[in-house]
Amino acid sequence: MSKKQAKLIAVCSAVGGTGRTTITVNLATAFAKRGLKVGIVDGDLQFGDIAMALDVQPSLTLKEISERSDVDNIRLYYTNHPSGIQLLAAPTRPEFADIIDNAIFQAGIEATKEYMDITIVETQAGLQEKALEVMEKADEILLVTTPAMHVLKNTKLMIETIEALGMKEKITVVVNKAGGSSVMKRSKLVDILGVDRLVVLPADSKHVNESLDLGQPLVVTHPKHIFTKEMESVATTLTGEKTSRQKKFYLFQPKRLVGDNQ
């Protein structure tokens, strides 16, 4: 992918608990499987869990970049994942979020874009200043919600706000944790939210929670799962590339090898 084609994707939500981190790490891994250079910026500055979800332990985070005003050396602050994903991690403690200047945060995103084919920024829930600026710069906004009515209500309000800011065409709504007790059909969700692009992901707390606990994205550990197929479809749509171009992909864990042939 040329730098002209490089993408910035914002993963957002109106409220917490929708599964932004799950979407971020699985989508990033799906891109990495295609041989793309992928960077993640964990913009959930108080309670970011990307490092845990990828089973890495950052020695440097956005806190250190901000303290040192060292955006020019951004690559020194990445945490490398075996998949090839480069993570710019959130601070290790919530009180450190106040240290991170917005100008440094945004400059870190811009600098990361220079080295990556795909940069994914997981924002904090809601419409804070940092999140809004990321959405303005993004090529795509993945707005993560669930079928719960109170969450849909707030998601609808967020869509209306984004539309008022002239960014609605960027939005793809990702309805996570669908099924089970949910009675909402896809067509009804489209009507309620007033969007054209909508992806529905199945509820599977057992496998999803297990993948987060292990630090192994579901798209690797369960390549035939319906969740994986939907995430691969999203990745294909966003890149325009064929799934047949995916490379063989492995992650190492103690005592076993996890890969596409499992």
Side-chain angles (χ1 to χ4, degrees):
M1 183 177 287
S2 70
K3 289 304 171 188
K4 186 176 181 180
Q5 296 173 306
K7 285 184 177 290
L8 175 62
I9 300 170
V11 179
C12 313
S13 67
V15 300
T18 59
R20 295 189 314 278
T21 296
T22 298
I23 303 306
T24 297
V25 298
N26 279 280
L27 184 61
T29 305
F31 287 137
K33 289 169 68 176
R34 288 159 166 75
L36 297 172
K37 291 186 289 184
V38 183
I40 299 176
V41 179
D42 192 346
D44 190 350
L45 301 177
Q46 289 187 320
F47 299 105
D49 285 330
I50 299 292
M52 182 186 70
L54 290 174
D55 193 25
V56 294
Q57 296 182 329
S59 58
L60 297 169
T61 72
L62 283 159
K63 169 181 175 286
E64 285 72 36
I65 295 176
S66 191
E67 287 177 328
R68 303 170 188 177
S69 297
D70 197 20
V71 174
D72 289 342
N73 295 306
I74 192 78
R75 286 183 289 183
L76 300 177
Y77 296 86
Y78 293 145
T79 300
N80 301 322
H81 186 261
S83 65
I85 293 169
Q86 304 288 309
L87 170 64
L88 196 52
T92 55
R93 294 192 57 83
E95 62 265 28
F96 295 155
D98 292 338
I99 295 172
I100 300 171
D101 177 73
N102 186 41
I104 295 292
F105 176 67
Q106 302 297 337
I109 294 170
E110 291 297 319
T112 298
K113 283 174 59 181
E114 292 296 313
Y115 301 109
M116 305 298 167
D117 297 315
I118 303 280
T119 300
I120 305 176
V121 182
E122 179 186 326
T123 71
Q124 289 177 282
L127 293 165
Q128 292 84 4
E129 178 187 359
K130 290 183 177 70
L132 281 170
E133 192 165 339
V134 171
M135 285 186 265
E136 288 173 1
K137 294 178 179 179
D139 300 292
E140 304 283 346
I141 299 171
L142 299 187
L143 184 53
V144 186
T145 185
T146 74
M149 286 305 299
H150 69 286
V151 181
L152 289 174
K153 184 266 290 184
N154 289 320
T155 301
K156 174 68 171 175
L157 291 173
M158 188 165 177
I159 291 170
E160 290 172 351
T161 304
I162 294 172
E163 181 177 20
L165 295 171
M167 298 185 289
K168 186 178 180 181
E169 73 282 353
K170 298 181 182 182
I171 296 175
T172 297
V173 172
V174 180
V175 182
N176 195 25
K177 307 177 185 179
S181 60
S182 172
V183 296
M184 199 72 67
K185 301 294 185 182
R186 186 186 186 282
S187 58
K188 186 67 173 176
L189 290 166
V190 170
D191 290 341
I192 289 173
L193 297 174
V195 294
D196 297 322
R197 295 188 296 175
L198 185 142
V199 177
V200 178
L201 298 175
D204 188 343
S205 58
K206 178 182 182 296
H207 288 107
V208 169
N209 290 339
E210 181 182 74
S211 73
L212 291 172
D213 289 344
L214 291 173
Q216 293 286 356
L218 207 63
V219 296
V220 174
T221 59
H222 293 79
K224 296 182 180 180
H225 196 286
I226 184 62
F227 178 95
T228 296
K229 292 179 181 179
E230 291 293 340
M231 292 306 301
E232 294 285 5
S233 178
V234 172
T236 298
T237 299
L238 293 176
T239 61
E241 295 186 4
K242 303 293 185 182
T243 55
S244 60
R245 292 182 59 186
Q246 293 180 31
K247 65 179 181 179
K248 201 71 172 177
F249 190 82
Y250 296 102
L251 290 178
F252 288 94
Q253 289 191 141
K255 298 184 180 179
R256 68 189 183 103
L257 181 66
V258 178
D260 282 348
N261 59 347
Q262 185 169 326

